[in-house]
Amino acid sequence: MSDLPRLARALEYLDMASALYLAGGADHSAQLLAAAGERLLGDLARLIQSPEHGPEVQQLLARVAQHHPNPPVPDVPSHAQSKQLQAMLSRQDSPESTALRQATSALLRASWYLLETMGLEPLAPSRLHQAIEKSTIYAEL
């Protein structure tokens, strides 16, 4: 079934986008990854709502969520270098970078909402949890 690879790809995109967001990366890569993940999850949500495939897809995704909780993602050394670079880039408080960062956080929150509505929040990457918390609770006013 082509739905599981689509779900895996969406979760991978959201994890990478969240990592860039958490590292302070208000860049186009984070926004593009978040948008791709959100779009794939939206496709799955529409499949679940279709009368033709909905119940079958919903049962499959529910089983996946129960039996395959999200494993922690290791923080590799090259990622630490990326974090430093993103932190340096985020110090530029231009209106464009602020708008881009806000758009990225909105896409990440929309993705989280889609995961919740499909009952797949146990599969959400841990960095997505952190990005949602940072963008809502600890957002700079």
PDB file of all heavy atoms in Angstrom, residues 54-71:
ATOM      1  N   GLY A  54     -11.337   5.152   3.083  1.00  0.00           N
ATOM      2  CA  GLY A  54     -11.186   5.692   4.429  1.00  0.00           C
ATOM      3  C   GLY A  54     -11.049   4.682   5.540  1.00  0.00           C
ATOM      4  O   GLY A  54     -10.060   4.690   6.274  1.00  0.00           O
ATOM      5  N   PRO A  55     -12.021   3.789   5.720  1.00  0.00           N
ATOM      6  CA  PRO A  55     -11.927   2.858   6.849  1.00  0.00           C
ATOM      7  C   PRO A  55     -10.688   1.968   6.793  1.00  0.00           C
ATOM      8  O   PRO A  55     -10.036   1.739   7.818  1.00  0.00           O
ATOM      9  CB  PRO A  55     -13.206   2.025   6.723  1.00  0.00           C
ATOM     10  CG  PRO A  55     -14.151   2.887   5.953  1.00  0.00           C
ATOM     11  CD  PRO A  55     -13.291   3.694   5.024  1.00  0.00           C
ATOM     12  N   GLU A  56     -10.330   1.515   5.602  1.00  0.00           N
ATOM     13  CA  GLU A  56      -9.156   0.638   5.459  1.00  0.00           C
ATOM     14  C   GLU A  56      -7.863   1.380   5.829  1.00  0.00           C
ATOM     15  O   GLU A  56      -7.033   0.872   6.581  1.00  0.00           O
ATOM     16  CB  GLU A  56      -9.077   0.143   4.015  1.00  0.00           C
ATOM     17  CG  GLU A  56      -7.874  -0.711   3.718  1.00  0.00           C
ATOM     18  CD  GLU A  56      -7.748  -1.010   2.232  1.00  0.00           C
ATOM     19  OE1 GLU A  56      -8.737  -0.863   1.494  1.00  0.00           O
ATOM     20  OE2 GLU A  56      -6.643  -1.373   1.823  1.00  0.00           O
ATOM     21  N   VAL A  57      -7.716   2.610   5.314  1.00  0.00           N
ATOM     22  CA  VAL A  57      -6.519   3.396   5.598  1.00  0.00           C
ATOM     23  C   VAL A  57      -6.469   3.763   7.075  1.00  0.00           C
ATOM     24  O   VAL A  57      -5.417   3.683   7.712  1.00  0.00           O
ATOM     25  CB  VAL A  57      -6.479   4.662   4.713  1.00  0.00           C
ATOM     26  CG1 VAL A  57      -5.315   5.569   5.093  1.00  0.00           C
ATOM     27  CG2 VAL A  57      -6.385   4.283   3.250  1.00  0.00           C
ATOM     28  N   GLN A  58      -7.610   4.122   7.640  1.00  0.00           N
ATOM     29  CA  GLN A  58      -7.657   4.508   9.050  1.00  0.00           C
ATOM     30  C   GLN A  58      -7.256   3.348   9.951  1.00  0.00           C
ATOM     31  O   GLN A  58      -6.503   3.529  10.911  1.00  0.00           O
ATOM     32  CB  GLN A  58      -9.059   5.011   9.400  1.00  0.00           C
ATOM     33  CG  GLN A  58      -9.098   5.756  10.710  1.00  0.00           C
ATOM     34  CD  GLN A  58     -10.415   6.498  10.868  1.00  0.00           C
ATOM     35  OE1 GLN A  58     -11.388   6.222  10.174  1.00  0.00           O
ATOM     36  NE2 GLN A  58     -10.446   7.445  11.769  1.00  0.00           N
ATOM     37  N   GLN A  59      -7.743   2.142   9.664  1.00  0.00           N
ATOM     38  CA  GLN A  59      -7.374   0.971  10.461  1.00  0.00           C
ATOM     39  C   GLN A  59      -5.882   0.682  10.349  1.00  0.00           C
ATOM     40  O   GLN A  59      -5.222   0.396  11.354  1.00  0.00           O
ATOM     41  CB  GLN A  59      -8.167  -0.253  10.007  1.00  0.00           C
ATOM     42  CG  GLN A  59      -9.601  -0.256  10.460  1.00  0.00           C
ATOM     43  CD  GLN A  59     -10.339  -1.480   9.933  1.00  0.00           C
ATOM     44  OE1 GLN A  59      -9.884  -2.157   9.015  1.00  0.00           O
ATOM     45  NE2 GLN A  59     -11.494  -1.759  10.521  1.00  0.00           N
ATOM     46  N   LEU A  60      -5.344   0.775   9.151  1.00  0.00           N
ATOM     47  CA  LEU A  60      -3.926   0.523   8.944  1.00  0.00           C
ATOM     48  C   LEU A  60      -3.071   1.522   9.711  1.00  0.00           C
ATOM     49  O   LEU A  60      -2.132   1.146  10.423  1.00  0.00           O
ATOM     50  CB  LEU A  60      -3.595   0.587   7.452  1.00  0.00           C
ATOM     51  CG  LEU A  60      -2.127   0.425   7.081  1.00  0.00           C
ATOM     52  CD1 LEU A  60      -1.636  -0.979   7.401  1.00  0.00           C
ATOM     53  CD2 LEU A  60      -1.925   0.730   5.614  1.00  0.00           C
ATOM     54  N   LEU A  61      -3.416   2.804   9.615  1.00  0.00           N
ATOM     55  CA  LEU A  61      -2.635   3.828  10.306  1.00  0.00           C
ATOM     56  C   LEU A  61      -2.771   3.718  11.818  1.00  0.00           C
ATOM     57  O   LEU A  61      -1.813   3.965  12.547  1.00  0.00           O
ATOM     58  CB  LEU A  61      -3.037   5.218   9.817  1.00  0.00           C
ATOM     59  CG  LEU A  61      -2.714   5.522   8.349  1.00  0.00           C
ATOM     60  CD1 LEU A  61      -3.203   6.907   7.976  1.00  0.00           C
ATOM     61  CD2 LEU A  61      -1.242   5.373   8.056  1.00  0.00           C
ATOM     62  N   ALA A  62      -3.936   3.317  12.297  1.00  0.00           N
ATOM     63  CA  ALA A  62      -4.121   3.127  13.744  1.00  0.00           C
ATOM     64  C   ALA A  62      -3.237   1.986  14.245  1.00  0.00           C
ATOM     65  O   ALA A  62      -2.623   2.084  15.316  1.00  0.00           O
ATOM     66  CB  ALA A  62      -5.583   2.849  14.061  1.00  0.00           C
ATOM     67  N   ARG A  63      -3.156   0.902  13.466  1.00  0.00           N
ATOM     68  CA  ARG A  63      -2.288  -0.210  13.862  1.00  0.00           C
ATOM     69  C   ARG A  63      -0.824   0.206  13.867  1.00  0.00           C
ATOM     70  O   ARG A  63      -0.054  -0.171  14.754  1.00  0.00           O
ATOM     71  CB  ARG A  63      -2.486  -1.412  12.938  1.00  0.00           C
ATOM     72  CG  ARG A  63      -3.697  -2.244  13.360  1.00  0.00           C
ATOM     73  CD  ARG A  63      -3.758  -3.524  12.584  1.00  0.00           C
ATOM     74  NE  ARG A  63      -4.315  -3.172  11.273  1.00  0.00           N
ATOM     75  CZ  ARG A  63      -4.089  -3.818  10.151  1.00  0.00           C
ATOM     76  NH1 ARG A  63      -3.310  -4.858  10.127  1.00  0.00           N
ATOM     77  NH2 ARG A  63      -4.642  -3.434   9.028  1.00  0.00           N
ATOM     78  N   VAL A  64      -0.437   0.997  12.879  1.00  0.00           N
ATOM     79  CA  VAL A  64       0.943   1.478  12.819  1.00  0.00           C
ATOM     80  C   VAL A  64       1.245   2.336  14.040  1.00  0.00           C
ATOM     81  O   VAL A  64       2.294   2.195  14.674  1.00  0.00           O
ATOM     82  CB  VAL A  64       1.188   2.272  11.513  1.00  0.00           C
ATOM     83  CG1 VAL A  64       2.508   3.014  11.560  1.00  0.00           C
ATOM     84  CG2 VAL A  64       1.160   1.335  10.317  1.00  0.00           C
ATOM     85  N   ALA A  65       0.330   3.221  14.400  1.00  0.00           N
ATOM     86  CA  ALA A  65       0.537   4.109  15.552  1.00  0.00           C
ATOM     87  C   ALA A  65       0.656   3.327  16.848  1.00  0.00           C
ATOM     88  O   ALA A  65       1.422   3.697  17.737  1.00  0.00           O
ATOM     89  CB  ALA A  65      -0.595   5.119  15.646  1.00  0.00           C
ATOM     90  N   GLN A  66      -0.091   2.239  16.981  1.00  0.00           N
ATOM     91  CA  GLN A  66      -0.047   1.438  18.207  1.00  0.00           C
ATOM     92  C   GLN A  66       1.239   0.634  18.327  1.00  0.00           C
ATOM     93  O   GLN A  66       1.806   0.520  19.404  1.00  0.00           O
ATOM     94  CB  GLN A  66      -1.227   0.469  18.254  1.00  0.00           C
ATOM     95  CG  GLN A  66      -2.536   1.101  18.598  1.00  0.00           C
ATOM     96  CD  GLN A  66      -3.661   0.075  18.573  1.00  0.00           C
ATOM     97  OE1 GLN A  66      -3.547  -0.979  17.957  1.00  0.00           O
ATOM     98  NE2 GLN A  66      -4.749   0.384  19.252  1.00  0.00           N
ATOM     99  N   HIS A  67       1.695   0.075  17.225  1.00  0.00           N
ATOM    100  CA  HIS A  67       2.794  -0.885  17.287  1.00  0.00           C
ATOM    101  C   HIS A  67       4.166  -0.318  16.965  1.00  0.00           C
ATOM    102  O   HIS A  67       5.164  -1.000  17.178  1.00  0.00           O
ATOM    103  CB  HIS A  67       2.506  -2.059  16.341  1.00  0.00           C
ATOM    104  CG  HIS A  67       1.276  -2.817  16.721  1.00  0.00           C
ATOM    105  ND1 HIS A  67       1.181  -3.552  17.880  1.00  0.00           N
ATOM    106  CD2 HIS A  67       0.079  -2.921  16.112  1.00  0.00           C
ATOM    107  CE1 HIS A  67      -0.025  -4.097  17.964  1.00  0.00           C
ATOM    108  NE2 HIS A  67      -0.723  -3.720  16.897  1.00  0.00           N
ATOM    109  N   HIS A  68       4.226   0.899  16.479  1.00  0.00           N
ATOM    110  CA  HIS A  68       5.513   1.469  16.100  1.00  0.00           C
ATOM    111  C   HIS A  68       5.677   2.875  16.656  1.00  0.00           C
ATOM    112  O   HIS A  68       5.629   3.850  15.922  1.00  0.00           O
ATOM    113  CB  HIS A  68       5.654   1.508  14.572  1.00  0.00           C
ATOM    114  CG  HIS A  68       5.566   0.161  13.944  1.00  0.00           C
ATOM    115  ND1 HIS A  68       6.580  -0.754  14.030  1.00  0.00           N
ATOM    116  CD2 HIS A  68       4.567  -0.436  13.255  1.00  0.00           C
ATOM    117  CE1 HIS A  68       6.210  -1.863  13.396  1.00  0.00           C
ATOM    118  NE2 HIS A  68       4.993  -1.694  12.923  1.00  0.00           N
ATOM    119  N   PRO A  69       5.881   2.991  17.981  1.00  0.00           N
ATOM    120  CA  PRO A  69       6.095   4.333  18.524  1.00  0.00           C
ATOM    121  C   PRO A  69       7.383   4.924  17.963  1.00  0.00           C
ATOM    122  O   PRO A  69       8.292   4.210  17.556  1.00  0.00           O
ATOM    123  CB  PRO A  69       6.196   4.104  20.030  1.00  0.00           C
ATOM    124  CG  PRO A  69       6.547   2.666  20.174  1.00  0.00           C
ATOM    125  CD  PRO A  69       5.991   1.955  18.980  1.00  0.00           C
ATOM    126  N   ASN A  70       7.439   6.222  17.940  1.00  0.00           N
ATOM    127  CA  ASN A  70       8.551   6.938  17.339  1.00  0.00           C
ATOM    128  C   ASN A  70       9.838   6.747  18.142  1.00  0.00           C
ATOM    129  O   ASN A  70       9.893   7.110  19.311  1.00  0.00           O
ATOM    130  CB  ASN A  70       8.196   8.422  17.266  1.00  0.00           C
ATOM    131  CG  ASN A  70       9.250   9.202  16.549  1.00  0.00           C
ATOM    132  OD1 ASN A  70       9.871   8.695  15.633  1.00  0.00           O
ATOM    133  ND2 ASN A  70       9.455  10.423  16.974  1.00  0.00           N
ATOM    134  N   PRO A  71      10.904   6.188  17.530  1.00  0.00           N
ATOM    135  CA  PRO A  71      12.174   6.066  18.237  1.00  0.00           C
ATOM    136  C   PRO A  71      12.883   7.407  18.301  1.00  0.00           C
ATOM    137  O   PRO A  71      12.689   8.257  17.437  1.00  0.00           O
ATOM    138  CB  PRO A  71      12.966   5.077  17.369  1.00  0.00           C
ATOM    139  CG  PRO A  71      12.411   5.266  16.008  1.00  0.00           C
ATOM    140  CD  PRO A  71      10.953   5.649  16.192  1.00  0.00           C
TER     141      PRO A  71
END
